[in-house]
Amino acid sequence: MDYKVALITGASTGIGKAIAESLAQRGVKLILVARRKEQLERLQQELSNITESYVIACDITDKIKLAAALEQLPASFSAVDILVNNAGLALGLKGAQEADWNDWETMINVNCIALAHITRLLLPGMVARHCGHVVNIGSIAGTYPYQGGNVYGATKAFVEQFTLNLKADLLGTPVRATSIEPGMVGQSEFSLVRFKGDKEQAEKVYEGIDALQPIDIANSVVWVLEQPKHVNINRMEIMPVGQAPSRPAYDKKQ
């Protein structure tokens, strides 16, 4: 892999952690970003025998703190040429007429505003150095609506369209942009966060389904990054075999 330094948001668990481990195995230096410092430092220690890493324990919605942290990167980490915007969340599964506004606002802040902000901070350096790849972790929820998906699905539609528009703006540069859009992914905190710590409810989501695993998404990210320089993967949609695009919902009483 030609890239040397990757910044991964949401790197402490799940998909982000798997991506960090996969890139470490390919000799890429890592900037690990998440809120939970202890988990980041544990991952840093686990990877210390195969690559260098640098920890930024920060809420990515804190624009001032994040910008300051990036400005203070050690010289050996300052030329970020891979940005993996993995941090994101879903909150609640109620219909739009019953949903909690605070949940909606949090999803917009994390999934859209924070993602766009960190991209805007790092993209000029990639263009100036003629080297870089922005990989955004979206979701099939941005393409296929489902009941209760409302704002979460809308934020992931933003991720897809933002990625495609990045590619349009980057025409004439070697910098690439890709949207990775998974379906159901197990072995992560996604549903636990969505249901606010209700483990029983979270586990029911995956009953009877051989869901994707974080390593599956990590493998997809690595494949995209390792394509020849003249190849850009615009978007990649991934589902487990046991999932398919759902038919439109309907109400028999109407």
Side-chain angles (χ1 to χ4, degrees):
M1 187 177 295
D2 292 332
Y3 299 124
K4 304 300 181 185
V5 180
L7 186 148
I8 305 165
T9 66
S12 59
T13 61
I15 292 172
K17 183 173 183 286
I19 293 170
E21 292 167 342
S22 295
L23 292 180
Q25 291 168 5
R26 287 156 178 82
V28 178
K29 292 194 289 189
L30 305 172
I31 303 167
L32 307 171
V33 182
R35 290 174 301 165
R36 291 173 287 190
K37 186 176 181 180
E38 288 185 5
Q39 288 184 254
L40 289 176
E41 290 179 340
R42 188 178 306 120
L43 177 58
Q44 182 182 43
Q45 181 60 35
E46 291 172 3
L47 300 177
S48 61
N49 62 330
I50 53 176
T51 195
E52 298 176 64
S53 59
Y54 182 82
V55 165
I56 298 178
C58 175
D59 185 333
I60 61 168
T61 64
D62 188 335
K63 294 190 285 292
I64 294 174
K65 185 175 180 179
L66 180 63
L70 294 179
E71 288 177 1
Q72 296 165 13
L73 285 171
S76 61
F77 288 91
S78 61
V80 176
D81 47 20
I82 301 171
L83 169 60
V84 182
N85 281 313
N86 166 70
L89 78 167
L91 292 171
L93 200 57
K94 292 181 179 179
Q97 68 274 23
E98 300 175 318
D100 185 328
W101 167 255
N102 291 327
D103 288 348
W104 280 14
E105 190 169 33
T106 298
M107 287 186 281
I108 293 168
N109 285 337
V110 174
N111 299 356
C112 300
I113 296 175
L115 180 147
H117 178 243
I118 194 168
T119 302
R120 182 62 183 82
L121 291 175
L122 294 176
L123 194 61
M126 294 182 181
V127 173
R129 292 186 297 272
H130 304 286
C131 181
H133 200 142
V134 178
V135 179
N136 294 324
I137 306 300
S139 168
I140 64 167
T143 303
Y144 308 107
Y146 60 90
Q147 288 182 311
N150 43 69
V151 164
Y152 173 68
T155 65
K156 291 304 183 177
F158 169 88
V159 172
E160 178 187 340
Q161 193 62 29
F162 180 62
T163 307
L164 295 175
N165 276 280
L166 282 179
K167 183 64 186 71
D169 289 343
L170 292 167
L171 197 63
T173 82
V175 180
R176 302 188 283 185
T178 300
S179 176
I180 303 287
E181 300 163 16
M184 297 177 72
V185 181
Q187 300 300 312
S188 75
E189 296 182 349
F190 178 81
S191 288
L192 193 64
V193 170
R194 164 166 257 170
F195 297 117
K196 302 182 179 179
D198 188 332
K199 187 175 181 180
E200 183 178 353
Q201 192 174 9
E203 289 177 349
K204 285 181 179 178
V205 173
Y206 305 101
E207 284 182 356
I209 298 290
D210 188 6
L212 298 170
Q213 301 300 306
I215 187 60
D216 299 322
I217 311 308
N219 288 340
S220 301
V221 170
V222 169
W223 182 79
V224 163
L225 293 170
E226 289 184 334
Q227 291 304 296
K229 291 181 179 180
H230 68 285
V231 175
N232 187 86
I233 307 300
N234 293 334
R235 57 186 295 268
M236 181 187 294
E237 183 179 294
I238 313 164
M239 290 184 185
V241 172
Q243 185 181 23
S246 59
R247 59 184 179 147
Y250 61 92
D251 181 355
K252 291 182 179 180
K253 299 194 296 274
Q254 297 298 320

